[in-house]
Amino acid sequence: MVPQSRAIPVLITRPEPQASRFAGWLTARFGDRVTPVISPLMAVRYDEATLPPGPFAAIILTSEAGAVAAGRLQVAGQSLPRRAYCVGARTAQVALAQGFDPISADGDAVDLIALITAQPPGGRLIHLRGRESRGAVAARLQAAGQEVAELVTYAQEPVALTEAARACLSGADRVAVPLFSPRSAVLFRDSVDRATMTAPLVLFVMSQAVARELADFPVHSLHIAPEPTQAAMGHMMSQALFGA
């Protein structure tokens, strides 16, 4: 891909605080070769949830929001086990900050299920999840013989694209769009006005599951990370945008 002379807009649709954190990471990595444009497509709303009857040997966390929700339950006086099976390193960091003892799968839902199967807790689990959830973590663990309860602790409410984001999409220069989850891909796909979208879009997605949600979406190019990590996304963006 031929580099363009101006800084490349990178449209960041992650919810906060992930959006600002990722923008800072991009700037640290690419400097003035990119211009982060923050336009979250989701805002987290925490629910007043009540734990089902226990006891539980460990909790399952598949997002940062789930880890924060676990901390909120503790503060509200609800008792949770300290052990936390976490989908990735960042979720584990947040869980640790909330007072839990995290074990990270360093990957996706498949890796998390493999971790729990390989290191069973010796008791019932509870998955603290969002209203919209993919991966069927609880169902797949139950099918493998593990007792798992689920509790919806938060929702990710849709948010419209900002004026700055729409301006990027209606320009002439290519725009990079990293997408980290199937839900963010769906929200982005449904938020874009295709009639006014003129910018060549270079999409970077975390997995095949994200890519499937964009099968009929018009893009200049689409790149799939070889593994579901931010480092892999960054390397892929560097290669595709700057050839290095």
Side-chain angles (χ1 to χ4, degrees), residues 7-129:
I8 298 173
V10 180
L11 180 55
I12 301 171
T13 63
R14 307 189 80 180
E16 292 289 12
Q18 294 98 315
S20 292
R21 189 168 63 237
F22 186 61
W25 183 83
L26 286 174
T27 300
R29 181 176 179 121
F30 298 116
D32 60 6
R33 292 185 293 173
V34 300
T35 301
V37 179
I38 296 176
S39 181
L41 288 176
M42 292 177 280
V44 178
R45 189 202 73 230
Y46 292 98
D47 295 333
E48 297 300 325
T50 301
L51 287 169
F56 300 102
I59 60 176
I60 301 173
L61 301 174
T62 46
S63 67
E64 289 183 47
V68 172
R72 289 169 61 92
L73 288 172
Q74 293 272 60
V75 170
Q78 301 194 55
S79 179
L80 286 169
R82 284 184 54 82
R83 176 181 287 189
Y85 291 101
C86 301
V87 68
R90 183 61 197 175
T91 299
Q93 289 172 7
V94 176
L96 182 63
Q98 298 291 331
F100 295 95
D101 182 14
I103 305 171
S104 176
D106 294 326
D108 57 13
V110 173
D111 299 308
L112 180 60
I113 292 166
L115 169 67
I116 295 170
T117 302
Q119 300 182 37
R124 192 169 170 226
L125 297 170
I126 183 162
H127 182 194
L128 306 181
R129 65 173 182 85

Side-chain angles (χ1 to χ4, degrees), residues 71-241:
R72 289 169 61 92
L73 288 172
Q74 293 272 60
V75 170
Q78 301 194 55
S79 179
L80 286 169
R82 284 184 54 82
R83 176 181 287 189
Y85 291 101
C86 301
V87 68
R90 183 61 197 175
T91 299
Q93 289 172 7
V94 176
L96 182 63
Q98 298 291 331
F100 295 95
D101 182 14
I103 305 171
S104 176
D106 294 326
D108 57 13
V110 173
D111 299 308
L112 180 60
I113 292 166
L115 169 67
I116 295 170
T117 302
Q119 300 182 37
R124 192 169 170 226
L125 297 170
I126 183 162
H127 182 194
L128 306 181
R129 65 173 182 85
R131 186 179 63 197
E132 294 81 16
S133 179
R134 293 176 182 256
V137 171
R140 291 159 74 179
L141 284 170
Q142 288 165 349
Q146 173 66 53
E147 280 192 274
V148 185
E150 293 183 284
L151 181 64
V152 174
T153 55
Y154 66 94
Q156 292 179 313
E157 302 290 355
V159 178
L161 286 168
T162 64
E163 289 290 341
R166 288 196 290 270
C168 282
L169 296 172
S170 61
D173 290 333
R174 59 185 169 141
V175 176
V177 186
L179 296 168
F180 289 78
S181 70
R183 178 160 165 76
S184 63
V186 169
L187 291 174
F188 177 72
R189 181 194 69 200
D190 294 346
S191 297
V192 172
D193 183 352
R194 301 190 191 190
T196 61
M197 186 183 75
T198 54
L201 298 188
V202 185
L203 267 57
F204 299 93
V205 302
M206 185 68 90
S207 66
Q208 291 283 354
V210 183
R212 281 194 290 270
E213 301 295 348
L214 301 159
D216 62 345
F217 191 77
V219 299
H220 180 74
S221 61
L222 187 147
H223 307 266
I224 303 172
E227 56 186 37
T229 65
Q230 183 168 286
M233 288 280 277
H235 179 71
M236 179 173 62
M237 293 175 70
S238 181
Q239 290 287 329
L241 297 176

